[in-house]
Amino acid sequence: MKKIYCDISATTPVNEKVIDLMASIHKNTFGNPSSVHKYGQESHVVIEKARIDIARTLNCHQEEIIFTASGTEANNIALEGLVKSNSHIISTTYEHPSVMNVIKNLEKKGTKLTLLKPNKDGKIDPKKIEKEISKNTQLITVMFANNELGSINNIEKISEVAQKHKIILHVDAVQCVGKLPIDLDKIKIDMMSLSAHKFYGPKGVGALFIRKGINLKTILNGGGQELNLRPGTENISGIAGMGLALSMACNNIIENMSYVKKLEQLFIKQLDKYKINYILHIKDRLPGVLAIGFPGIDGQSLLISLDLKGIAVSFGSACSSGTTKASQILLDAGINEDLAKSTLRISFGKIHTEDDVKYVVEQLSIILKRFGKKSYA
Ligand code: PLP
């Protein structure tokens, strides 16, 4: 059976060159990067090279990047390390659990929390953020692109609001690093989280950008690695793999974006060709990420039928999978409950071909025909 993985937003397969590099590091560069001898020095060089590569692609200083064990860990280190108990945080209702659960815990300890809902376009209005600012507001944390909707926030405008009021801005950019160009010299984000497995790198390695001048308290105790913010012997091969994966994604970012957008247009053209009834929720979205409703159809059943045909998609995000309830994120974005329950996230990337896209729609059409007439326009 043909297998097509259309869940690029959940994770990506690791690029072959990244696998080769990591395998050679596992074999040859095993010294502890903190050791003084040559073995240690070689490992240290590998880590610093990755740091330089990542800083170059994001246009920041290498001292501003710390490596972490995931995007989740980067979010925890940033938020818990910064926020004072009697302060105020402005965030959104649709943050990833690795932000949401941290700020909710901070709220329990006395921090005031304001959560803003997205508009119908899936974006957070910078003006609404500005309205909520009070004299105690210490932090604004807003994700760059939403993991279920694929909508992209106007982080440039939000950063202007944060700067105007001298408030620290943290951005969870896990979904869009490697998919959209990000220039940290131009956009004044103070802290930004990323994760390698979203851009064809390995799982279990992430990074946090911390702009010079931002001081975080340490939330993990250990041997002092990574500015004492993420102590523990470094994942040398993972870090190197992340550096290479990000360089490759960003060196060809414009070409990749237009290739994936072309696939997306083909997908939509094919849906129309097969006269499939669908509603695309978000217009301005990450390349290749489609939150798409099939009115009258149960999204979970559709996901399972597609899976039986070898096609992998999501109902909500990977983190919320397994639930049959309508996604709260879709409801908050003004999508009604029935339509939310009929919505799948289908995400394409540079690994796909036009034939893959045509095959997916062909199978979708066969399944929907079986489901009944309602699914046809
Ligand atoms: N933030 C967002 C927006 C995500 O989509 C994810 C993962 O799906 C994460 C954070 C967590 O990243 P990681 O899987 O590296 O912990």
Side-chain angles (χ1 to χ4, degrees):
M1 184 174 60
K2 203 167 167 156
K3 278 172 82 181
I4 305 188
Y5 177 80
C6 302
D7 204 8
I8 291 296
S9 299
T11 193
T12 52
V14 185
N15 181 287
E16 289 288 335
K17 286 190 179 146
V18 172
I19 294 174
D20 291 348
L21 174 69
M22 289 177 67
S24 95
I25 289 172
H26 270 305
K27 264 192 201 155
N28 306 313
T29 319
F30 61 86
N32 187 321
S34 300
S35 297
V36 174
H37 48 62
K38 291 244 166 357
Y39 291 87
Q41 287 171 30
E42 281 170 13
S43 296
H44 182 73
V45 166
V46 168
I47 292 173
E48 294 317 307
K49 181 184 178 314
R51 206 186 307 276
I52 290 168
D53 288 345
I54 290 172
R56 183 180 47 79
T57 55
L58 299 174
N59 205 9
C60 64
H61 301 284
Q62 67 199 75
E63 308 79 38
E64 294 175 316
I65 298 291
I66 65 158
F67 292 112
T68 66
S70 58
T72 296
E73 199 181 65
N75 284 336
N76 274 263
I77 291 171
L79 302 172
E80 227 185 297
L82 181 86
V83 175
K84 297 192 189 103
S85 61
N86 55 352
S87 63
H88 173 221
I89 303 174
I90 301 174
S91 188
T92 80
T93 55
Y94 69 1
E95 294 299 310
H96 186 266
S98 58
V99 167
M100 187 56 82
N101 291 334
V102 180
I103 55 182
K104 287 249 164 103
N105 279 336
L106 289 166
E107 188 184 27
K108 280 184 202 147
K109 291 182 199 161
T111 302
K112 189 172 174 259
L113 182 60
T114 304
L115 298 177
L116 299 170
K117 280 188 186 178
N119 290 337
K120 278 210 152 59
D121 58 4
K123 298 183 189 208
I124 303 297
D125 184 349
K127 285 197 202 101
K128 283 192 192 160
I129 294 181
E130 188 158 24
K131 267 197 194 145
E132 295 297 336
I133 292 174
S134 67
K135 67 174 188 339
N136 276 346
T137 310
Q138 188 193 4
L139 172 76
I140 297 170
T141 175
V142 175
M143 66 196 334
F144 214 128
N146 183 265
N147 45 319
E148 280 192 38
L149 299 165
S151 52
I152 306 165
N153 278 314
N154 190 341
I155 293 295
E156 199 162 349
K157 268 265 148 2
I158 295 173
S159 76
E160 284 166 17
V161 170
Q163 285 233 301
K164 184 173 147 197
H165 295 273
K166 297 192 172 39
I167 293 164
I168 291 172
L169 173 65
H170 167 258
V171 173
D172 175 350
V174 165
Q175 280 294 334
C176 66
V177 170
K179 292 194 187 113
L180 293 179
I182 298 178
D183 184 334
L184 289 170
D185 190 43
K186 285 209 182 107
I187 306 189
K188 299 298 177 198
I189 293 169
D190 296 300
M191 294 192 281
M192 187 175 88
S193 306
L194 44 148
S195 177
H197 75 95
K198 305 287 184 181
F199 47 82
Y200 304 92
K203 288 163 190 58
V205 56
L208 176 65
F209 158 77
I210 311 166
R211 197 174 286 284
K212 266 185 205 162
I214 305 284
N215 293 314
L216 299 181
K217 63 176 185 289
T218 180
I219 62 163
L220 295 163
N221 297 299
Q225 294 92 338
E226 298 302 299
L227 306 178
N228 203 26
L229 290 171
R230 202 286 170 180
T233 304
E234 299 88 337
N235 173 1
I236 310 162
S237 67
I239 289 171
M242 179 176 189
L244 179 60
L246 189 59
S247 295
M248 286 196 304
C250 292
N251 288 345
N252 301 313
I253 203 153
I254 302 297
E255 289 93 322
N256 287 344
M257 279 169 69
S258 70
Y259 178 71
V260 176
K261 275 197 174 146
K262 245 193 241 159
L263 293 179
E264 193 187 293
Q265 280 155 13
L266 176 65
F267 179 74
I268 293 165
K269 211 170 112 191
Q270 292 295 105
L271 291 175
D272 292 336
K273 183 179 143 191
Y274 282 94
K275 297 198 174 2
I276 291 172
N277 187 16
Y278 67 90
I279 293 175
L280 207 49
H281 295 308
I282 303 295
K283 276 208 181 81
D284 181 17
R285 54 182 182 261
L286 281 177
V289 182
L290 301 127
I292 182 166
F294 298 94
I297 298 295
D298 175 52
Q300 279 283 16
S301 311
L302 183 54
L303 178 148
I304 290 161
S305 301
L306 283 165
D307 193 37
L308 290 172
K309 299 265 184 195
I311 297 166
V313 300
S314 261
F315 179 75
S317 66
C319 299
S320 60
S321 61
T323 169
T324 49
K325 283 203 290 195
S327 149
Q328 192 58 44
I329 290 180
L330 300 181
L331 299 177
D332 283 348
I335 296 163
N336 74 50
E337 188 165 350
D338 285 344
L339 190 54
K341 279 187 178 166
S342 80
T343 295
L344 294 181
R345 180 185 70 186
I346 303 181
S347 45
F348 295 107
K350 61 184 181 184
I351 54 166
H352 295 111
T353 63
E354 292 193 353
D355 283 347
D356 292 339
V357 171
K358 286 182 183 164
Y359 180 78
V360 171
V361 184
E362 204 180 287
Q363 295 305 316
L364 194 53
S365 154
I366 293 169
I367 296 166
L368 289 173
K369 260 197 191 122
R370 226 181 45 218
F371 276 19
K373 278 211 163 68
K374 261 196 264 170
S375 49
Y376 277 79

